Amino acid sequence: MSTPNPTEGELAILRVLWSRKAAMTVREMHEVLSRDKDTAYTTVLKMMTIMAEKGLVTRDESERSHTYVPVHDEPVVQASLLKDLMRRAFSGSALTLVQRAIDDDIASPEELDAMSKLIAQAKAKRKR
């Protein structure tokens, strides 16, 4: 089964679910999302219903208040989004994606150091 690519709004909901590490009701999600942005309860309900249909979350209907949990862990969704971005914006090239991040000063010196270490580890792993 392929991992669906969530929209920005869906990602906001998934981030809350991932951070809570627990099932949440629509009401609980609405309370959290409304702290940062005025969001209607019915909008959150509709989004979570769509997310269940898309396979981003599962809905437990065993109680009066349905609860939702993410289907995929955060790294799985990030990998799917990254692959899609690489394919669409960088012709599938990881090198071009990283080069753009370096050229446009997106990565801090600390992140560049961390990337160097990750590259060295990946090279060592592949030589085994």
Side-chain angles (χ1 to χ4, degrees):
M1 179 176 116
S2 67
T3 307
N5 287 337
T7 65
E8 275 299 312
E10 292 167 347
L11 265 176
I13 289 171
L14 286 170
R15 282 188 194 106
V16 172
L17 289 169
W18 289 324
S19 70
R20 291 286 174 96
K21 295 180 176 35
M24 292 179 71
T25 66
V26 173
R27 184 158 314 286
E28 292 168 331
M29 182 61 68
H30 177 253
E31 288 172 12
V32 172
L33 295 177
S34 293
R35 291 179 197 151
D36 296 328
K37 182 180 176 186
D38 187 30
T39 308
Y41 174 86
T42 54
T43 300
V44 177
L45 173 62
K46 183 67 175 170
M47 286 181 66
M48 292 181 84
T49 301
I50 290 169
M51 290 174 71
E53 292 168 0
K54 288 173 70 173
L56 290 168
V57 296
T58 56
R59 177 177 43 225
D60 180 353
E61 300 176 2
S62 63
E63 300 291 325
R64 186 176 187 283
S65 292
H66 300 171
T67 57
Y68 296 80
V69 295
V71 170
H72 304 284
D73 291 332
E74 188 173 16
V76 173
V77 174
Q78 288 172 336
S80 177
L81 288 168
L82 182 60
K83 286 175 187 171
D84 184 56
L85 176 66
M86 262 182 22
R87 181 186 55 76
R88 290 185 303 116
F90 300 98
S91 300
S93 171
L95 175 63
T96 305
L97 181 143
V98 172
Q99 187 65 50
R100 188 63 48 234
I102 292 169
D103 289 347
D104 293 346
D105 294 327
I106 293 170
S108 70
E110 295 80 15
E111 288 174 320
L112 291 172
D113 289 342
M115 284 184 217
S116 294
K117 289 177 186 171
L118 289 172
I119 290 169
Q121 290 170 355
K123 283 181 177 179
K125 192 178 186 180
R126 290 191 179 156
K127 285 183 181 178
R128 293 182 201 159

